[in-house]
Amino acid sequence: MAVVFDRPHALVDIPMHYCPGCTHGIAHRLVAEALDELDIEGRTVGVSSVGCSYNNYFYFNCDMIQAAHGRAPAVATGVKRSLPDNIVFTYQGDGDLAAIGTAEIVHAAARGENITVIFINNTIYGMTSGQMAPTTLLNQVTTTTPYGRDAKEHGNPIRVCEMLSTLKGPAYIERASLHDIKNIKKAKEAVKKAFKVQMAGKGFSLVELLSTCPTNWGLDPLESLDRVKNEMMEYYPLGVFAGKDLEV
Amino acid sequence: MGERLLMKGNEVIAEAAIRAGCRHYFGYPITPQTEIAHYMAKKMPKVGGVFLQAESEVSAINMVYGAASTGKRVMTSSSSPGISLKQEGISYASGAQLPAVIVNIMRGGPGLGGIQPSQSDYFQATKGGGHGDYHLIVLAPSSVQELYELTVDAFNLADQYRMVAMILGDGVLGQMMEVVNFRDEEPIVKADKSWAASGHGMKREHNTVTSIHLDPAVLEQWNIALQDKYKTISEKEQRFELYKCDDAEIIIVAYGSVARIAKNVVQVAREEGIKVGLLRPITLWPFPTKAFEQVIDKPNAFLTVEMSSGQMLEDVMLAVKGRKPVHFTGRMGGMIPKVDDIMAKIREIRAD
Ligand SMILES: Cc1ncc(C[n+]2csc(CCOP(=O)(O)OP(=O)(O)O)c2C)c(N)n1
Ligand code: SF4
Ligand SMILES: [Mg+2]
């Protein structure tokens, strides 16, 4: 019988620790499929960050490095400058990338560092039990905004793709969503394109993936997918923010 | 015979690194060590290497972490406030057992402090500095020639033991010009790098470089392995110089540029008929306790001299173990102890 659906080789065959309904697992699969389809697993070095995905070095079959909170783009820079012919990616949450690691991501992007960033925006700090992230939406209740995020008190949520696309460094920036099959397919193309941009030596690529955190949102998995569609996409519109016309 | 050149301390560190096979340097400007970056910026592109000015010391050390993870020889340099910023990355690199060389050309602190020479980061360098139970190999050169030799050694030791090695100098050494005798070829230790994350080429299991082990039993074992390594290093790698200690009634303990002043004191004192010697630690970690065991019987007292409030003093007292009195004199904030100050202290000790 022909196998029509299988685990990507770049994904290790062990159970993941993510909560039911969490989209981290889907994001991992998309990255692994890209590594398989582009046949780059053997020359890829991934950089894990600090957040719920801190130990995805157990899940990806390529060589992996675990970085300090927010520092993955600097670590990836060190790797890429040492192994310019290898493929280097970071996998970072929104707390990791847009709060503690703001300097690192902005400067890696500004340098046009030839790396790929997979950015998981779930509008919350998942791992540390649901605190406000820089991406937390206005009025969103978190453990550190128990009365809802208030622009006056906490500022407005940061739109990373829009912010980074003001720079000249990034070759390709796209925001996609993981809330339904159609969008997952688009997200897959975006992730794959980001790696292809790197393979072509075009420079910095980043894909933001709108993701769920049912556990800390206090919603069930289906409600969580609805929240992505109905609430997150309004403030975080999908689309290509840099490299619209880039062919790779 | 190798080249013989008149060079500035900071430039010699950079040149030594390149000769030791370092092709990756990441840094952020800060006085009094910036010449290292200038030299690297000029030279690295010529030898096919990488010089990158990072956006901060935090980023620079994490670039080092990345490059070291691939198995490449890598260096960063800074001065006190910048080294404080690097502590996070140094702790992670120590936890992940990554070889790297870090240079601290110390200036006066705390805080932004000043830009004049100091030795007030001794605790930070030798007792950990960042979080967790770890050590760095800390080398303290005292001349420009030694800056060269110890920088090469630092790369070898880092690779051999898979850990961070630090060159702990001060502004005097960094800025000083002296003649250096370069070797034709460096004694480069080839270490096993099969652990590196450099792409497995579909030929082996995937490698992981990490410092996190959430299972406390696993983390304890990891720590025990680190401590075992540190014990081996303490036994095998202590380095020191003994200068006229055989007949000394007072032994000065000093490192780095202060040891040079102390050598002058030994001369001056002996001209006055006072038998003074010098014990100069070259490794600050591991601290050369063996040197103290060699000389402990002879002197009436030890005198520690530092450009700090007396940080190495604690290690000297631990090494002497109450067997002889240990005195201290020092200056802080970028002030340098003078021969006369130290002589005054010696006369005071003798009068007691
Ligand atoms: C220096 C440092 N500060 C704080 C933490 C604690 N911490 C761990 S994960 C995390 C937030 C991660 O959130 P995010 O990046 O959004 O990832 P998610 O878990 O949502 O995927 C924090 C604050 C840490 N590990 N290190
Ligand atoms: S806490 Fe949230 S982000 Fe973390 S695994 Fe659970 S659902 Fe996913
Ligand atoms: Mg998050």
Side-chain angles (χ1 to χ4, degrees):
Chain A
M1 241 185 23
V3 177
V4 289
F5 189 78
D6 204 1
R7 175 178 287 273
H9 186 273
L11 215 49
V12 179
D13 191 5
I14 51 165
M16 291 185 184
H17 70 288
Y18 300 112
C19 307
C22 177
T23 46
H24 264 305
I26 298 175
H28 286 27
R29 183 168 175 111
L30 299 188
V31 172
E33 285 179 358
L35 299 188
D36 274 19
E37 288 168 26
L38 299 169
D39 196 20
I40 51 174
E41 181 199 314
R43 61 178 175 121
T44 295
V45 178
V47 183
S48 315
S49 62
V50 177
C52 279
S53 59
Y54 79 95
N55 66 351
N56 60 12
Y57 52 78
F58 287 133
Y59 307 145
F60 289 117
N61 235 336
C62 55
D63 278 0
M64 296 292 294
I65 299 167
Q66 210 293 320
H69 201 14
R71 318 294 179 224
V75 172
T77 298
V79 176
K80 190 72 184 186
R81 299 289 179 126
S82 302
L83 304 169
D85 297 330
N86 286 48
I87 302 301
V88 182
F89 76 91
T90 73
Y91 185 104
Q92 303 175 258
D94 42 2
D96 191 89
L97 181 143
I100 195 166
T102 320
E104 286 77 6
I105 193 66
V106 167
H107 286 276
R111 283 192 302 270
E113 209 64 55
N114 194 23
I115 60 171
T116 298
V117 175
I118 306 298
F119 169 43
I120 305 298
N121 179 359
N122 57 9
T123 71
I124 208 151
Y125 284 19
M127 190 186 198
T128 42
S129 66
Q131 296 81 12
M132 180 183 71
T135 45
T136 292
L137 295 174
L138 288 182
N139 302 318
Q140 186 180 337
V141 171
T142 71
T143 48
T144 49
T145 53
Y147 308 110
R149 182 176 186 157
D150 173 359
K152 259 214 219 120
E153 182 87 5
H154 313 107
N156 283 286
I158 295 177
R159 294 184 176 111
V160 168
C161 290
E162 288 83 341
M163 179 175 78
L164 293 182
S165 63
T166 64
L167 298 168
K168 277 189 128 179
Y172 173 62
I173 295 182
E174 176 160 359
R175 181 183 291 123
S177 174
L178 301 178
H179 72 276
D180 62 20
I181 306 290
K182 191 175 117 231
N183 278 283
I184 290 172
K185 280 189 165 157
K186 277 196 181 160
K188 156 94 184 274
E189 286 317 307
V191 168
K192 203 167 155 183
K193 180 160 180 187
F195 280 104
K196 279 162 101 178
V197 167
Q198 183 182 164
M199 289 166 77
K202 300 283 183 199
F204 184 86
S205 56
L206 177 146
V207 179
E208 174 173 341
L209 298 171
L210 298 186
S211 296
T212 60
C213 179
T215 303
N216 290 300
W217 291 356
L219 301 175
D220 70 27
L222 289 178
E223 289 167 348
S224 296
L225 297 173
D226 286 343
R227 177 179 183 264
V228 174
K229 183 171 158 213
N230 300 328
E231 294 176 39
M232 283 172 69
M233 273 170 54
E234 195 182 321
Y235 190 81
Y236 297 113
L238 307 187
V240 179
F241 294 86
K244 263 198 186 76
D245 305 320
L246 186 68
E247 301 275 346
V248 281
Chain B
M1 263 287 283
E3 270 177 299
R4 200 175 140 79
L5 297 171
L6 179 67
M7 285 178 79
K8 202 176 195 175
N10 282 332
E11 295 182 341
V12 167
I13 296 173
E15 176 61 29
I18 292 171
R19 284 172 184 253
C22 170
R23 291 293 177 274
H24 296 85
Y25 172 92
F26 305 95
Y28 187 85
I30 185 169
T31 308
Q33 61 77 52
T34 310
E35 294 88 354
I36 299 177
H38 297 173
Y39 195 89
M40 289 298 199
K42 244 196 219 160
K43 276 285 175 81
M44 277 300 195
K46 303 239 157 100
V47 294
V50 171
F51 164 84
L52 200 153
Q53 179 172 331
E55 58 271 22
S56 69
E57 287 87 351
V58 174
S59 291
I61 190 70
N62 280 285
M63 291 171 186
V64 167
Y65 184 97
S69 296
T70 71
K72 296 284 157 76
R73 286 196 158 183
V74 55
M75 181 169 100
T76 184
S77 63
S78 189
S79 178
S80 311
I83 295 291
S84 290
L85 270 182
K86 288 187 199 289
Q87 291 304 328
E88 176 196 47
I90 296 175
S91 167
Y92 277 68
S94 301
Q97 300 208 60
L98 290 175
V101 174
I102 297 169
V103 180
N104 181 4
I105 300 298
M106 292 179 281
R107 56 188 250 183
L112 198 46
I115 59 168
Q116 298 303 320
S118 168
Q119 296 180 323
S120 51
D121 302 347
Y122 179 93
F123 283 152
Q124 188 194 48
T126 60
K127 310 291 175 190
H131 59 284
D133 262 330
Y134 73 91
H135 281 291
L136 315 179
I137 293 172
V138 183
L139 302 168
S142 173
S143 65
V144 175
Q145 180 70 29
E146 238 181 14
L147 279 176
Y148 158 52
E149 289 167 12
L150 292 183
T151 300
V152 174
D153 291 349
F155 280 98
N156 284 336
L157 289 165
D159 268 1
Q160 195 179 333
Y161 292 106
R162 269 189 76 179
M163 64 188 281
V164 176
M166 176 175 273
I167 298 288
L168 193 68
D170 58 61
V172 174
L173 286 168
Q175 299 301 321
M176 157 194 293
M177 285 187 85
E178 274 182 335
V179 170
V180 192
N181 291 303
F182 286 105
R183 292 170 285 231
D184 281 333
E185 215 177 301
E186 300 304 332
I188 290 174
V189 172
K190 282 260 173 284
D192 168 46
K193 298 267 172 106
S194 60
W195 49 264
S198 52
H200 53 55
M202 311 307 273
K203 290 195 189 93
R204 56 162 167 79
E205 292 286 292
H206 71 140
N207 281 345
T208 300
V209 172
T210 185
S211 69
I212 184 169
H213 307 280
L214 281 189
D215 178 346
V218 174
L219 185 54
E220 187 181 47
Q221 285 310 314
W222 188 261
N223 267 280
I224 288 170
L226 285 181
Q227 294 304 321
D228 285 349
K229 175 163 80 177
Y230 299 153
K231 208 165 154 239
T232 306
I233 296 169
S234 296
E235 277 157 18
K236 287 172 65 177
E237 304 295 349
Q238 292 187 18
R239 296 194 202 179
F240 53 86
E241 179 194 354
L242 297 175
Y243 179 67
K244 300 198 174 171
C245 286
D246 290 346
D247 62 348
E249 59 176 282
I250 292 174
I251 293 183
I252 300 177
V253 187
Y255 69 95
S257 58
V258 177
R260 300 169 68 104
I261 301 164
K263 251 186 197 169
N264 289 342
V265 171
V266 170
Q267 275 328 111
V268 172
R270 282 177 182 264
E271 277 158 26
E272 257 185 49
I274 314 172
K275 286 182 175 146
V276 174
L278 168 68
L279 187 165
R280 177 171 76 89
I282 297 173
T283 51
L284 297 180
W285 194 92
F287 193 69
T289 50
K290 289 178 186 170
F292 289 84
E293 295 310 317
Q294 278 185 33
V295 301
I296 194 74
D297 293 336
K298 185 71 194 159
N300 299 326
F302 290 88
L303 169 61
T304 307
V305 187
E306 296 175 65
M307 290 193 285
S308 79
S309 62
Q311 298 192 9
M312 180 177 68
L313 173 64
E314 294 189 4
D315 283 334
V316 172
M317 290 171 92
L318 284 169
V320 171
K321 292 186 198 140
R323 289 172 285 181
K324 296 285 163 75
V326 178
H327 301 270
F328 174 76
T329 185
R331 300 294 299 269
M332 290 182 283
M335 298 300 287
I336 298 171
K338 293 198 184 71
V339 171
D340 289 349
D341 303 336
I342 302 170
M343 281 304 298
K345 185 71 189 179
I346 286 170
R347 287 187 205 105
E348 186 191 308
I349 294 167
R350 292 183 91 225
D352 271 351

PDB file of all heavy atoms in Angstrom, chain A residues 17-24 51-53 120 122 124-127 129 212-217, ligand 2:
ATOM      1  N   HIS A  17       5.438  17.158  24.308  1.00  0.00           N
ATOM      2  CA  HIS A  17       4.910  17.462  25.640  1.00  0.00           C
ATOM      3  C   HIS A  17       3.854  18.570  25.620  1.00  0.00           C
ATOM      4  O   HIS A  17       3.399  19.007  26.656  1.00  0.00           O
ATOM      5  CB  HIS A  17       6.060  17.878  26.543  1.00  0.00           C
ATOM      6  CG  HIS A  17       6.637  19.231  26.183  1.00  0.00           C
ATOM      7  ND1 HIS A  17       7.400  19.418  25.054  1.00  0.00           N
ATOM      8  CD2 HIS A  17       6.510  20.436  26.767  1.00  0.00           C
ATOM      9  CE1 HIS A  17       7.750  20.699  24.981  1.00  0.00           C
ATOM     10  NE2 HIS A  17       7.222  21.336  25.994  1.00  0.00           N
ATOM     11  N   TYR A  18       3.519  19.066  24.420  1.00  0.00           N
ATOM     12  CA  TYR A  18       2.618  20.233  24.370  1.00  0.00           C
ATOM     13  C   TYR A  18       1.196  19.887  24.802  1.00  0.00           C
ATOM     14  O   TYR A  18       0.740  18.746  24.667  1.00  0.00           O
ATOM     15  CB  TYR A  18       2.628  20.823  22.950  1.00  0.00           C
ATOM     16  CG  TYR A  18       4.013  21.281  22.536  1.00  0.00           C
ATOM     17  CD1 TYR A  18       4.725  20.628  21.524  1.00  0.00           C
ATOM     18  CD2 TYR A  18       4.627  22.352  23.195  1.00  0.00           C
ATOM     19  CE1 TYR A  18       6.011  21.028  21.170  1.00  0.00           C
ATOM     20  CE2 TYR A  18       5.915  22.754  22.847  1.00  0.00           C
ATOM     21  CZ  TYR A  18       6.599  22.091  21.833  1.00  0.00           C
ATOM     22  OH  TYR A  18       7.862  22.486  21.508  1.00  0.00           O
ATOM     23  N   CYS A  19       0.466  20.884  25.296  1.00  0.00           N
ATOM     24  CA  CYS A  19      -0.906  20.688  25.769  1.00  0.00           C
ATOM     25  C   CYS A  19      -1.818  20.334  24.593  1.00  0.00           C
ATOM     26  O   CYS A  19      -1.541  20.700  23.446  1.00  0.00           O
ATOM     27  CB  CYS A  19      -1.453  21.969  26.402  1.00  0.00           C
ATOM     28  SG  CYS A  19      -0.429  22.674  27.683  1.00  0.00           S
ATOM     29  N   PRO A  20      -2.950  19.677  24.887  1.00  0.00           N
ATOM     30  CA  PRO A  20      -3.920  19.425  23.827  1.00  0.00           C
ATOM     31  C   PRO A  20      -4.382  20.740  23.208  1.00  0.00           C
ATOM     32  O   PRO A  20      -4.644  21.709  23.931  1.00  0.00           O
ATOM     33  CB  PRO A  20      -5.085  18.748  24.570  1.00  0.00           C
ATOM     34  CG  PRO A  20      -4.509  18.262  25.852  1.00  0.00           C
ATOM     35  CD  PRO A  20      -3.372  19.158  26.192  1.00  0.00           C
ATOM     36  N   GLY A  21      -4.425  20.783  21.875  1.00  0.00           N
ATOM     37  CA  GLY A  21      -4.907  21.986  21.204  1.00  0.00           C
ATOM     38  C   GLY A  21      -3.853  23.056  20.999  1.00  0.00           C
ATOM     39  O   GLY A  21      -4.118  24.105  20.422  1.00  0.00           O
ATOM     40  N   CYS A  22      -2.632  22.785  21.469  1.00  0.00           N
ATOM     41  CA  CYS A  22      -1.543  23.753  21.273  1.00  0.00           C
ATOM     42  C   CYS A  22      -1.015  23.616  19.846  1.00  0.00           C
ATOM     43  O   CYS A  22      -0.824  22.509  19.354  1.00  0.00           O
ATOM     44  CB  CYS A  22      -0.420  23.459  22.258  1.00  0.00           C
ATOM     45  SG  CYS A  22       1.000  24.538  22.037  1.00  0.00           S
ATOM     46  N   THR A  23      -0.749  24.733  19.192  1.00  0.00           N
ATOM     47  CA  THR A  23      -0.297  24.668  17.794  1.00  0.00           C
ATOM     48  C   THR A  23       1.229  24.602  17.650  1.00  0.00           C
ATOM     49  O   THR A  23       1.744  24.577  16.540  1.00  0.00           O
ATOM     50  CB  THR A  23      -0.854  25.853  16.985  1.00  0.00           C
ATOM     51  OG1 THR A  23      -0.664  27.046  17.737  1.00  0.00           O
ATOM     52  CG2 THR A  23      -2.330  25.665  16.689  1.00  0.00           C
ATOM     53  N   HIS A  24       1.950  24.596  18.764  1.00  0.00           N
ATOM     54  CA  HIS A  24       3.409  24.431  18.672  1.00  0.00           C
ATOM     55  C   HIS A  24       3.733  23.181  17.841  1.00  0.00           C
ATOM     56  O   HIS A  24       4.641  23.194  17.005  1.00  0.00           O
ATOM     57  CB  HIS A  24       4.031  24.261  20.060  1.00  0.00           C
ATOM     58  CG  HIS A  24       4.572  25.537  20.649  1.00  0.00           C
ATOM     59  ND1 HIS A  24       5.489  26.327  20.008  1.00  0.00           N
ATOM     60  CD2 HIS A  24       4.328  26.156  21.838  1.00  0.00           C
ATOM     61  CE1 HIS A  24       5.798  27.373  20.777  1.00  0.00           C
ATOM     62  NE2 HIS A  24       5.099  27.300  21.896  1.00  0.00           N
ATOM     63  N   GLY A  51      10.892  29.055  26.326  1.00  0.00           N
ATOM     64  CA  GLY A  51       9.442  29.128  26.269  1.00  0.00           C
ATOM     65  C   GLY A  51       8.978  27.692  26.249  1.00  0.00           C
ATOM     66  O   GLY A  51       9.792  26.778  26.472  1.00  0.00           O
ATOM     67  N   CYS A  52       7.719  27.452  25.953  1.00  0.00           N
ATOM     68  CA  CYS A  52       7.227  26.072  25.962  1.00  0.00           C
ATOM     69  C   CYS A  52       8.017  25.171  25.016  1.00  0.00           C
ATOM     70  O   CYS A  52       8.085  23.966  25.219  1.00  0.00           O
ATOM     71  CB  CYS A  52       5.750  26.041  25.619  1.00  0.00           C
ATOM     72  SG  CYS A  52       4.739  26.427  27.062  1.00  0.00           S
ATOM     73  N   SER A  53       8.600  25.753  23.992  1.00  0.00           N
ATOM     74  CA  SER A  53       9.332  24.944  23.010  1.00  0.00           C
ATOM     75  C   SER A  53      10.817  24.831  23.348  1.00  0.00           C
ATOM     76  O   SER A  53      11.617  24.449  22.501  1.00  0.00           O
ATOM     77  CB  SER A  53       9.177  25.576  21.628  1.00  0.00           C
ATOM     78  OG  SER A  53       9.673  26.898  21.649  1.00  0.00           O
ATOM     79  N   ILE A 120       6.590  32.255  16.997  1.00  0.00           N
ATOM     80  CA  ILE A 120       5.292  31.745  17.454  1.00  0.00           C
ATOM     81  C   ILE A 120       4.589  32.809  18.301  1.00  0.00           C
ATOM     82  O   ILE A 120       4.982  33.064  19.451  1.00  0.00           O
ATOM     83  CB  ILE A 120       5.470  30.454  18.281  1.00  0.00           C
ATOM     84  CG1 ILE A 120       6.256  29.406  17.491  1.00  0.00           C
ATOM     85  CG2 ILE A 120       4.104  29.918  18.728  1.00  0.00           C
ATOM     86  CD1 ILE A 120       5.586  28.938  16.206  1.00  0.00           C
ATOM     87  N   ASN A 122       1.546  33.616  20.325  1.00  0.00           N
ATOM     88  CA  ASN A 122       0.326  33.115  20.982  1.00  0.00           C
ATOM     89  C   ASN A 122      -0.196  34.124  22.003  1.00  0.00           C
ATOM     90  O   ASN A 122      -0.945  33.789  22.903  1.00  0.00           O
ATOM     91  CB  ASN A 122       0.551  31.726  21.603  1.00  0.00           C
ATOM     92  CG  ASN A 122       1.692  31.729  22.607  1.00  0.00           C
ATOM     93  OD1 ASN A 122       2.216  32.788  22.965  1.00  0.00           O
ATOM     94  ND2 ASN A 122       2.093  30.557  23.068  1.00  0.00           N
ATOM     95  N   ILE A 124       0.904  35.422  24.557  1.00  0.00           N
ATOM     96  CA  ILE A 124       1.035  35.127  25.990  1.00  0.00           C
ATOM     97  C   ILE A 124       2.366  34.433  26.285  1.00  0.00           C
ATOM     98  O   ILE A 124       3.006  33.914  25.371  1.00  0.00           O
ATOM     99  CB  ILE A 124      -0.151  34.232  26.444  1.00  0.00           C
ATOM    100  CG1 ILE A 124      -0.463  34.441  27.923  1.00  0.00           C
ATOM    101  CG2 ILE A 124       0.104  32.750  26.139  1.00  0.00           C
ATOM    102  CD1 ILE A 124      -1.913  34.194  28.263  1.00  0.00           C
ATOM    103  N   TYR A 125       2.774  34.490  27.557  1.00  0.00           N
ATOM    104  CA  TYR A 125       3.888  33.669  28.015  1.00  0.00           C
ATOM    105  C   TYR A 125       3.302  32.326  28.415  1.00  0.00           C
ATOM    106  O   TYR A 125       2.687  32.202  29.470  1.00  0.00           O
ATOM    107  CB  TYR A 125       4.558  34.281  29.257  1.00  0.00           C
ATOM    108  CG  TYR A 125       5.461  35.471  29.000  1.00  0.00           C
ATOM    109  CD1 TYR A 125       5.381  36.222  27.830  1.00  0.00           C
ATOM    110  CD2 TYR A 125       6.415  35.847  29.950  1.00  0.00           C
ATOM    111  CE1 TYR A 125       6.221  37.310  27.616  1.00  0.00           C
ATOM    112  CE2 TYR A 125       7.254  36.935  29.742  1.00  0.00           C
ATOM    113  CZ  TYR A 125       7.149  37.658  28.578  1.00  0.00           C
ATOM    114  OH  TYR A 125       7.973  38.725  28.378  1.00  0.00           O
ATOM    115  N   GLY A 126       3.463  31.324  27.553  1.00  0.00           N
ATOM    116  CA  GLY A 126       2.873  30.023  27.841  1.00  0.00           C
ATOM    117  C   GLY A 126       3.586  29.320  28.983  1.00  0.00           C
ATOM    118  O   GLY A 126       2.974  28.924  29.975  1.00  0.00           O
ATOM    119  N   MET A 127       4.886  29.208  28.852  1.00  0.00           N
ATOM    120  CA  MET A 127       5.624  28.338  29.763  1.00  0.00           C
ATOM    121  C   MET A 127       5.520  28.739  31.232  1.00  0.00           C
ATOM    122  O   MET A 127       5.459  27.909  32.122  1.00  0.00           O
ATOM    123  CB  MET A 127       7.097  28.301  29.368  1.00  0.00           C
ATOM    124  CG  MET A 127       7.857  27.228  30.120  1.00  0.00           C
ATOM    125  SD  MET A 127       9.582  27.323  29.758  1.00  0.00           S
ATOM    126  CE  MET A 127      10.117  25.709  30.294  1.00  0.00           C
ATOM    127  N   SER A 129       3.163  30.221  32.772  1.00  0.00           N
ATOM    128  CA  SER A 129       1.759  30.211  33.181  1.00  0.00           C
ATOM    129  C   SER A 129       0.997  31.505  32.933  1.00  0.00           C
ATOM    130  O   SER A 129       0.337  32.019  33.822  1.00  0.00           O
ATOM    131  CB  SER A 129       1.578  29.720  34.631  1.00  0.00           C
ATOM    132  OG  SER A 129       2.153  30.624  35.531  1.00  0.00           O
ATOM    133  N   THR A 212      -1.989  29.095  19.157  1.00  0.00           N
ATOM    134  CA  THR A 212      -2.913  29.008  20.291  1.00  0.00           C
ATOM    135  C   THR A 212      -2.175  28.674  21.573  1.00  0.00           C
ATOM    136  O   THR A 212      -1.089  28.081  21.540  1.00  0.00           O
ATOM    137  CB  THR A 212      -3.926  27.867  20.069  1.00  0.00           C
ATOM    138  OG1 THR A 212      -3.205  26.643  19.946  1.00  0.00           O
ATOM    139  CG2 THR A 212      -4.771  28.106  18.837  1.00  0.00           C
ATOM    140  N   CYS A 213      -2.801  29.028  22.682  1.00  0.00           N
ATOM    141  CA  CYS A 213      -2.368  28.553  23.993  1.00  0.00           C
ATOM    142  C   CYS A 213      -3.634  28.309  24.814  1.00  0.00           C
ATOM    143  O   CYS A 213      -3.955  29.086  25.712  1.00  0.00           O
ATOM    144  CB  CYS A 213      -1.462  29.573  24.682  1.00  0.00           C
ATOM    145  SG  CYS A 213      -0.928  29.030  26.317  1.00  0.00           S
ATOM    146  N   PRO A 214      -4.350  27.218  24.486  1.00  0.00           N
ATOM    147  CA  PRO A 214      -5.618  26.961  25.172  1.00  0.00           C
ATOM    148  C   PRO A 214      -5.468  26.972  26.693  1.00  0.00           C
ATOM    149  O   PRO A 214      -6.315  27.513  27.410  1.00  0.00           O
ATOM    150  CB  PRO A 214      -6.007  25.560  24.685  1.00  0.00           C
ATOM    151  CG  PRO A 214      -5.196  25.291  23.481  1.00  0.00           C
ATOM    152  CD  PRO A 214      -4.007  26.176  23.506  1.00  0.00           C
ATOM    153  N   THR A 215      -4.376  26.396  27.161  1.00  0.00           N
ATOM    154  CA  THR A 215      -4.178  26.272  28.609  1.00  0.00           C
ATOM    155  C   THR A 215      -4.211  27.625  29.308  1.00  0.00           C
ATOM    156  O   THR A 215      -4.909  27.805  30.301  1.00  0.00           O
ATOM    157  CB  THR A 215      -2.822  25.573  28.870  1.00  0.00           C
ATOM    158  OG1 THR A 215      -2.851  24.313  28.205  1.00  0.00           O
ATOM    159  CG2 THR A 215      -2.575  25.375  30.357  1.00  0.00           C
ATOM    160  N   ASN A 216      -3.470  28.567  28.770  1.00  0.00           N
ATOM    161  CA  ASN A 216      -3.402  29.860  29.460  1.00  0.00           C
ATOM    162  C   ASN A 216      -4.447  30.863  28.977  1.00  0.00           C
ATOM    163  O   ASN A 216      -4.628  31.907  29.599  1.00  0.00           O
ATOM    164  CB  ASN A 216      -1.995  30.448  29.334  1.00  0.00           C
ATOM    165  CG  ASN A 216      -1.003  29.663  30.161  1.00  0.00           C
ATOM    166  OD1 ASN A 216      -1.144  29.556  31.375  1.00  0.00           O
ATOM    167  ND2 ASN A 216      -0.028  29.065  29.501  1.00  0.00           N
ATOM    168  N   TRP A 217      -5.089  30.554  27.882  1.00  0.00           N
ATOM    169  CA  TRP A 217      -6.208  31.400  27.457  1.00  0.00           C
ATOM    170  C   TRP A 217      -7.491  31.024  28.198  1.00  0.00           C
ATOM    171  O   TRP A 217      -8.478  31.763  28.174  1.00  0.00           O
ATOM    172  CB  TRP A 217      -6.469  31.249  25.933  1.00  0.00           C
ATOM    173  CG  TRP A 217      -5.398  31.813  25.056  1.00  0.00           C
ATOM    174  CD1 TRP A 217      -4.286  32.491  25.438  1.00  0.00           C
ATOM    175  CD2 TRP A 217      -5.347  31.741  23.614  1.00  0.00           C
ATOM    176  NE1 TRP A 217      -3.527  32.835  24.329  1.00  0.00           N
ATOM    177  CE2 TRP A 217      -4.176  32.376  23.209  1.00  0.00           C
ATOM    178  CE3 TRP A 217      -6.179  31.176  22.647  1.00  0.00           C
ATOM    179  CZ2 TRP A 217      -3.806  32.509  21.870  1.00  0.00           C
ATOM    180  CZ3 TRP A 217      -5.822  31.287  21.311  1.00  0.00           C
ATOM    181  CH2 TRP A 217      -4.638  31.958  20.923  1.00  0.00           C
TER     182      TRP A 217
HETATM  183  S1  SF4 C   2       1.114  26.299  27.885  1.00  0.00           S
HETATM  184 FE1  SF4 C   2       0.242  27.102  26.003  1.00  0.00          FE
HETATM  185  S2  SF4 C   2       1.961  27.362  24.572  1.00  0.00           S
HETATM  186 FE2  SF4 C   2       2.627  26.025  26.245  1.00  0.00          FE
HETATM  187  S3  SF4 C   2       2.302  23.943  25.495  1.00  0.00           S
HETATM  188 FE3  SF4 C   2       0.491  24.530  26.686  1.00  0.00          FE
HETATM  189  S4  SF4 C   2      -0.894  25.389  25.186  1.00  0.00           S
HETATM  190 FE4  SF4 C   2       1.116  25.333  24.214  1.00  0.00          FE
END
